[in-house]
PDB file of all heavy atoms in Angstrom:
ATOM      1  N   GLU A 311      33.606  16.305 -30.151  1.00 92.00           N
ATOM      2  CA  GLU A 311      33.927  17.123 -28.982  1.00 92.00           C
ATOM      3  C   GLU A 311      35.124  16.512 -28.249  1.00 92.00           C
ATOM      4  O   GLU A 311      34.982  15.988 -27.137  1.00 92.00           O
ATOM      5  CB  GLU A 311      32.719  17.211 -28.037  1.00 92.00           C
ATOM      6  CG  GLU A 311      31.470  17.808 -28.675  1.00 92.00           C
ATOM      7  CD  GLU A 311      30.271  17.786 -27.721  1.00 92.00           C
ATOM      8  OE1 GLU A 311      30.412  17.207 -26.615  1.00 92.00           O
ATOM      9  OE2 GLU A 311      29.227  18.331 -28.078  1.00 92.00           O
ATOM     10  N   PRO A 312      36.299  16.547 -28.826  1.00 92.00           N
ATOM     11  CA  PRO A 312      37.441  15.826 -28.245  1.00 92.00           C
ATOM     12  C   PRO A 312      37.821  16.295 -26.844  1.00 92.00           C
ATOM     13  O   PRO A 312      38.085  15.467 -25.963  1.00 92.00           O
ATOM     14  CB  PRO A 312      38.571  16.088 -29.244  1.00 92.00           C
ATOM     15  CG  PRO A 312      38.132  17.286 -30.030  1.00 92.00           C
ATOM     16  CD  PRO A 312      36.648  17.222 -30.081  1.00 92.00           C
ATOM     17  N   ALA A 313      37.852  17.592 -26.611  1.00 92.00           N
ATOM     18  CA  ALA A 313      38.271  18.096 -25.301  1.00 92.00           C
ATOM     19  C   ALA A 313      37.234  17.783 -24.220  1.00 92.00           C
ATOM     20  O   ALA A 313      37.562  17.295 -23.130  1.00 92.00           O
ATOM     21  CB  ALA A 313      38.516  19.600 -25.374  1.00 92.00           C
ATOM     22  N   GLN A 314      35.960  18.056 -24.514  1.00 93.00           N
ATOM     23  CA  GLN A 314      34.905  17.815 -23.536  1.00 93.00           C
ATOM     24  C   GLN A 314      34.765  16.328 -23.218  1.00 93.00           C
ATOM     25  O   GLN A 314      34.510  15.944 -22.074  1.00 93.00           O
ATOM     26  CB  GLN A 314      33.559  18.358 -24.041  1.00 93.00           C
ATOM     27  CG  GLN A 314      33.541  19.862 -24.274  1.00 93.00           C
ATOM     28  CD  GLN A 314      33.916  20.229 -25.710  1.00 93.00           C
ATOM     29  OE1 GLN A 314      34.809  19.625 -26.303  1.00 93.00           O
ATOM     30  NE2 GLN A 314      33.225  21.231 -26.235  1.00 93.00           N
ATOM     31  N   THR A 315      34.959  15.497 -24.237  1.00 93.00           N
ATOM     32  CA  THR A 315      34.837  14.050 -24.033  1.00 93.00           C
ATOM     33  C   THR A 315      35.927  13.541 -23.098  1.00 93.00           C
ATOM     34  O   THR A 315      35.665  12.766 -22.170  1.00 93.00           O
ATOM     35  CB  THR A 315      34.921  13.311 -25.381  1.00 93.00           C
ATOM     36  OG1 THR A 315      33.859  13.772 -26.237  1.00 93.00           O
ATOM     37  CG2 THR A 315      34.805  11.813 -25.190  1.00 93.00           C
ATOM     38  N   ALA A 316      37.147  13.986 -23.327  1.00 92.00           N
ATOM     39  CA  ALA A 316      38.249  13.566 -22.457  1.00 92.00           C
ATOM     40  C   ALA A 316      38.053  14.066 -21.030  1.00 92.00           C
ATOM     41  O   ALA A 316      38.375  13.377 -20.060  1.00 92.00           O
ATOM     42  CB  ALA A 316      39.568  14.074 -23.015  1.00 92.00           C
ATOM     43  N   GLU A 317      37.499  15.251 -20.909  1.00 92.00           N
ATOM     44  CA  GLU A 317      37.298  15.830 -19.577  1.00 92.00           C
ATOM     45  C   GLU A 317      36.232  15.074 -18.785  1.00 92.00           C
ATOM     46  O   GLU A 317      36.361  14.870 -17.576  1.00 92.00           O
ATOM     47  CB  GLU A 317      36.891  17.296 -19.717  1.00 92.00           C
ATOM     48  CG  GLU A 317      36.714  17.998 -18.386  1.00 92.00           C
ATOM     49  CD  GLU A 317      36.324  19.465 -18.571  1.00 92.00           C
ATOM     50  OE1 GLU A 317      36.276  19.936 -19.726  1.00 92.00           O
ATOM     51  OE2 GLU A 317      36.064  20.129 -17.546  1.00 92.00           O
ATOM     52  N   LYS A 318      35.165  14.664 -19.453  1.00 93.00           N
ATOM     53  CA  LYS A 318      34.064  13.989 -18.777  1.00 93.00           C
ATOM     54  C   LYS A 318      34.227  12.476 -18.704  1.00 93.00           C
ATOM     55  O   LYS A 318      33.421  11.795 -18.081  1.00 93.00           O
ATOM     56  CB  LYS A 318      32.741  14.312 -19.500  1.00 93.00           C
ATOM     57  CG  LYS A 318      32.257  15.738 -19.320  1.00 93.00           C
ATOM     58  CD  LYS A 318      30.940  15.933 -20.050  1.00 93.00           C
ATOM     59  CE  LYS A 318      30.349  17.302 -19.762  1.00 93.00           C
ATOM     60  NZ  LYS A 318      29.931  17.415 -18.347  1.00 93.00           N
ATOM     61  N   TRP A 319      35.278  11.941 -19.338  1.00 94.00           N
ATOM     62  CA  TRP A 319      35.427  10.483 -19.422  1.00 94.00           C
ATOM     63  C   TRP A 319      35.492   9.865 -18.020  1.00 94.00           C
ATOM     64  O   TRP A 319      36.313  10.263 -17.193  1.00 94.00           O
ATOM     65  CB  TRP A 319      36.693  10.146 -20.210  1.00 94.00           C
ATOM     66  CG  TRP A 319      36.835   8.679 -20.505  1.00 94.00           C
ATOM     67  CD1 TRP A 319      37.763   7.827 -20.012  1.00 94.00           C
ATOM     68  CD2 TRP A 319      36.002   7.916 -21.380  1.00 94.00           C
ATOM     69  NE1 TRP A 319      37.561   6.561 -20.508  1.00 94.00           N
ATOM     70  CE2 TRP A 319      36.477   6.587 -21.352  1.00 94.00           C
ATOM     71  CE3 TRP A 319      34.882   8.220 -22.160  1.00 94.00           C
ATOM     72  CZ2 TRP A 319      35.884   5.565 -22.080  1.00 94.00           C
ATOM     73  CZ3 TRP A 319      34.286   7.200 -22.901  1.00 94.00           C
ATOM     74  CH2 TRP A 319      34.790   5.901 -22.863  1.00 94.00           C
ATOM     75  N   PRO A 320      34.610   8.868 -17.711  1.00 93.00           N
ATOM     76  CA  PRO A 320      34.523   8.351 -16.337  1.00 93.00           C
ATOM     77  C   PRO A 320      35.533   7.253 -16.012  1.00 93.00           C
ATOM     78  O   PRO A 320      35.733   6.921 -14.842  1.00 93.00           O
ATOM     79  CB  PRO A 320      33.104   7.779 -16.286  1.00 93.00           C
ATOM     80  CG  PRO A 320      32.857   7.315 -17.695  1.00 93.00           C
ATOM     81  CD  PRO A 320      33.550   8.324 -18.575  1.00 93.00           C
ATOM     82  N   LEU A 321      36.163   6.676 -17.045  1.00 91.00           N
ATOM     83  CA  LEU A 321      37.126   5.608 -16.821  1.00 91.00           C
ATOM     84  C   LEU A 321      38.534   6.198 -16.868  1.00 91.00           C
ATOM     85  O   LEU A 321      38.715   7.404 -16.761  1.00 91.00           O
ATOM     86  CB  LEU A 321      36.932   4.508 -17.874  1.00 91.00           C
ATOM     87  CG  LEU A 321      35.488   3.991 -18.044  1.00 91.00           C
ATOM     88  CD1 LEU A 321      35.417   2.969 -19.163  1.00 91.00           C
ATOM     89  CD2 LEU A 321      34.966   3.404 -16.738  1.00 91.00           C
ATOM     90  N   THR A 322      39.533   5.373 -17.049  1.00 91.00           N
ATOM     91  CA  THR A 322      40.902   5.885 -17.141  1.00 91.00           C
ATOM     92  C   THR A 322      41.185   6.347 -18.568  1.00 91.00           C
ATOM     93  O   THR A 322      40.518   5.900 -19.515  1.00 91.00           O
ATOM     94  CB  THR A 322      41.910   4.792 -16.758  1.00 91.00           C
ATOM     95  OG1 THR A 322      41.907   3.778 -17.775  1.00 91.00           O
ATOM     96  CG2 THR A 322      41.574   4.172 -15.420  1.00 91.00           C
ATOM     97  N   PRO A 323      42.165   7.207 -18.776  1.00 90.00           N
ATOM     98  CA  PRO A 323      42.494   7.650 -20.137  1.00 90.00           C
ATOM     99  C   PRO A 323      42.908   6.508 -21.057  1.00 90.00           C
ATOM    100  O   PRO A 323      42.817   6.632 -22.285  1.00 90.00           O
ATOM    101  CB  PRO A 323      43.661   8.624 -19.909  1.00 90.00           C
ATOM    102  CG  PRO A 323      43.499   9.090 -18.499  1.00 90.00           C
ATOM    103  CD  PRO A 323      42.943   7.922 -17.749  1.00 90.00           C
ATOM    104  N   ASP A 324      43.343   5.386 -20.480  1.00 90.00           N
ATOM    105  CA  ASP A 324      43.806   4.267 -21.306  1.00 90.00           C
ATOM    106  C   ASP A 324      42.687   3.686 -22.166  1.00 90.00           C
ATOM    107  O   ASP A 324      42.958   3.117 -23.234  1.00 90.00           O
ATOM    108  CB  ASP A 324      44.378   3.157 -20.422  1.00 90.00           C
ATOM    109  CG  ASP A 324      45.690   3.563 -19.772  1.00 90.00           C
ATOM    110  OD1 ASP A 324      46.341   4.482 -20.308  1.00 90.00           O
ATOM    111  OD2 ASP A 324      46.042   2.977 -18.731  1.00 90.00           O
ATOM    112  N   GLU A 325      41.430   3.775 -21.703  1.00 89.00           N
ATOM    113  CA  GLU A 325      40.324   3.273 -22.531  1.00 89.00           C
ATOM    114  C   GLU A 325      40.025   4.210 -23.684  1.00 89.00           C
ATOM    115  O   GLU A 325      39.589   3.769 -24.758  1.00 89.00           O
ATOM    116  CB  GLU A 325      39.044   3.092 -21.695  1.00 89.00           C
ATOM    117  CG  GLU A 325      39.064   1.907 -20.750  1.00 89.00           C
ATOM    118  CD  GLU A 325      39.571   2.295 -19.388  1.00 89.00           C
ATOM    119  OE1 GLU A 325      39.699   3.519 -19.131  1.00 89.00           O
ATOM    120  OE2 GLU A 325      39.855   1.392 -18.585  1.00 89.00           O
ATOM    121  N   LEU A 326      40.259   5.497 -23.486  1.00 91.00           N
ATOM    122  CA  LEU A 326      39.856   6.487 -24.478  1.00 91.00           C
ATOM    123  C   LEU A 326      40.968   6.812 -25.470  1.00 91.00           C
ATOM    124  O   LEU A 326      40.698   7.118 -26.640  1.00 91.00           O
ATOM    125  CB  LEU A 326      39.408   7.771 -23.761  1.00 91.00           C
ATOM    126  CG  LEU A 326      38.642   8.797 -24.587  1.00 91.00           C
ATOM    127  CD1 LEU A 326      37.405   8.191 -25.210  1.00 91.00           C
ATOM    128  CD2 LEU A 326      38.258   9.983 -23.701  1.00 91.00           C
TER     129      LEU A 326
END
Side-chain angles (χ1 to χ4, degrees):
E311 301 176 354
Q314 298 92 321
T315 301
E317 182 179 356
K318 289 181 174 293
W319 188 247
L321 309 177
T322 69
D324 290 338
E325 287 92 11
L326 194 57

